[in-house]
Amino acid sequence: MIVRNLKFYACFLFIFFISFEIISHGPSRQKVVEKVVINAELTKVWEIVSNFSDFSWNPLVVSTDSNGNEIGSLRKIKSKNGSNISQSLEKLNEEKKMISWRIKETDQKLLPVNSYQATLILKDQGGKVEATYKAGFYRGFMGNDPPDELNDENSKKKVKEFISSALQNLKTILEK
Amino acid sequence: MSIINLKTKEVENIDANKSPLGIKFHGIYNKIIVSNWYDDTITIIDQEKKDKKTIKVGKSPAGIDIHPKTGQIVVANRDSNTVTIIEDLNKKIINTIKVQKSPFGVFFSSDGKKIYVSNVQSNSISVIDFKLRKIIKNFKVKEWPYQVSIFPENNELFVSNQRDDSISILNLQTYQLKNEISNVCGYPEGLNINKKLNLIIIACWFDNEVVILNLRNKKVIKKIEVCEGPRSFGKFVID
């Protein structure tokens, strides 16, 4: 009963607060969540995604130049179109099968984002693996009236494409 | 700005200044206080008299709180790295205190002796002695602290760290980190406690859920799915 009441008030009041945020607060933070189920062993999938030094499972990436696989390590990835992105490793949790990184610098043509953080979590699903890849970020242009290519819609679209293609390719590699 | 009558569910709309962000009801003056993000002002609305007053504060005002006994208003000015204390609403007398980088949330202790400020970019909490109008301590928490909630009986201060998916718990006597609840949920933002029900209630922006923890043992009791992108930095749980 208590919990049901809380849910009612929570939903009700959150709408109230959100309405302020959306119209007022400069760019709104965006999120993208993509999932894929991979027919492979959990350890095999984890082995690939936990290796921060190698992001080749993302098909848009042609090379990864990294200084390690520890928290704080940096990697510079080069994409097919020649754009670069620098990322730092923020979390690596073997037990929870979770890895998280951040973008330090990005080419806006590839990923038009600010304050981007991505997390990948793996869950065992009875012999298969559910991989959830999520990212929180702001659009490419932080001021008001962004150009079309750096607005919320396009920034979100680019992140979605980036993440989806990586997950699909991960599935392809592991199910070969 | 909309006012929702909880009993009748009727909505009353009031013209606000540019980009209202924080909102708080002032029980002593019976007025509504609103911070206007792009306007660098606070609006004081007298709903009954249909009267509106504006006070200039620092850049990008966000969180607001009100002294529980004497009614002074404190406002966090995110892009000035300051908090403004409105000492006298009618005479518009203000005091400015420099804090750390990007203060967003401000919270009075229940006895009104301290103000806690969450500094988003410096990943810290500033403690202001209200009598001295001075910072007495800054302490580090995790990334992007957002909301603070206090459990005075246990000398505990809870901080939601948005970008770290965690909650820091500080000892209010020693100002030392007492505990940390990691991986609580995705982007925890609003954090309220309910002493009567013994709960910590957290709004999780990324995961579209409200997480409820036991206030004593800090264990998760339940995760409730809610609407898209729940956010709040004020009091959102009714006692």
Side-chain angles (χ1 to χ4, degrees), chain B residues 134-200:
Chain B
K134 205 176 139 188
I135 289 184
I136 51 168
K137 180 89 184 169
N138 289 304
F139 52 80
K140 279 273 173 201
V141 285
K142 290 294 177 85
E143 278 210 281
W144 293 9
Y146 195 75
Q147 177 149 18
V148 166
S149 201
I150 303 149
F151 183 30
E153 289 81 351
N154 248 12
N155 282 313
E156 285 177 330
L157 179 97
F158 297 90
V159 183
S160 57
N161 304 305
Q162 286 179 79
R163 215 185 191 192
D164 191 58
D165 299 347
S166 69
I167 306 298
S168 297
I169 305 169
L170 294 129
N171 182 320
L172 279 178
Q173 279 181 321
T174 60
Y175 294 126
Q176 299 292 315
L177 187 72
K178 188 174 170 181
N179 194 359
E180 205 163 77
I181 311 168
S182 56
N183 300 312
V184 70
C185 62
Y187 281 73
E189 296 202 335
L191 184 155
N192 280 186
I193 62 168
N194 185 308
K195 285 183 271 182
K196 212 160 93 185
L197 300 175
N198 229 359
L199 302 174
I200 307 168

Side-chain angles (χ1 to χ4, degrees), chain B residues 30-208:
Chain B
N30 207 21
K31 285 174 181 162
I32 300 161
I33 318 291
V34 183
S35 60
N36 306 302
W37 179 260
Y38 283 126
D39 203 33
D40 304 339
T41 58
I42 296 295
T43 308
I44 297 119
I45 300 165
D46 191 319
Q47 204 189 346
E48 281 168 18
K49 291 182 192 160
K50 305 285 174 209
D51 173 52
K52 245 176 27 175
K53 191 182 281 182
T54 300
I55 297 178
K56 195 91 183 158
V57 290
K59 277 173 95 179
S60 312
I64 307 169
D65 205 6
I66 292 156
H67 192 283
K69 290 170 185 155
T70 48
Q72 286 99 332
I73 300 163
V74 62
V75 185
N77 306 306
R78 192 191 189 275
D79 296 333
S80 295
N81 303 326
T82 59
V83 297
T84 299
I85 295 168
I86 300 161
E87 306 281 1
D88 188 313
L89 208 58
N90 298 317
K91 291 179 187 161
K92 297 190 180 181
I93 298 170
I94 61 163
N95 240 318
T96 304
I97 302 169
K98 186 101 185 149
V99 290
Q100 294 193 313
K101 205 169 171 212
S102 309
F104 198 79
V106 278
F107 310 93
F108 270 107
S109 58
S110 47
D111 60 8
K113 289 181 178 169
K114 305 269 183 350
I115 301 170
Y116 302 101
V117 185
S118 58
N119 304 300
V120 180
Q121 295 290 332
S122 53
N123 304 325
S124 67
I125 302 292
S126 296
V127 184
I128 295 170
D129 183 308
F130 188 59
K131 203 173 162 187
L132 302 172
R133 305 288 195 272
K134 205 176 139 188
I135 289 184
I136 51 168
K137 180 89 184 169
N138 289 304
F139 52 80
K140 279 273 173 201
V141 285
K142 290 294 177 85
E143 278 210 281
W144 293 9
Y146 195 75
Q147 177 149 18
V148 166
S149 201
I150 303 149
F151 183 30
E153 289 81 351
N154 248 12
N155 282 313
E156 285 177 330
L157 179 97
F158 297 90
V159 183
S160 57
N161 304 305
Q162 286 179 79
R163 215 185 191 192
D164 191 58
D165 299 347
S166 69
I167 306 298
S168 297
I169 305 169
L170 294 129
N171 182 320
L172 279 178
Q173 279 181 321
T174 60
Y175 294 126
Q176 299 292 315
L177 187 72
K178 188 174 170 181
N179 194 359
E180 205 163 77
I181 311 168
S182 56
N183 300 312
V184 70
C185 62
Y187 281 73
E189 296 202 335
L191 184 155
N192 280 186
I193 62 168
N194 185 308
K195 285 183 271 182
K196 212 160 93 185
L197 300 175
N198 229 359
L199 302 174
I200 307 168
I201 300 122
I202 305 159
C204 305
W205 173 78
F206 204 106
D207 292 345
N208 303 336

Side-chain angles (χ1 to χ4, degrees), chain A residues 7-26:
Chain A
K7 181 174 177 176
F8 167 75
Y9 286 123
C11 248
F12 180 67
L13 284 167
F14 288 151
I15 293 166
F16 180 72
F17 281 105
I18 290 161
S19 63
F20 281 103
E21 291 285 337
I22 288 167
I23 57 165
S24 66
H25 192 198

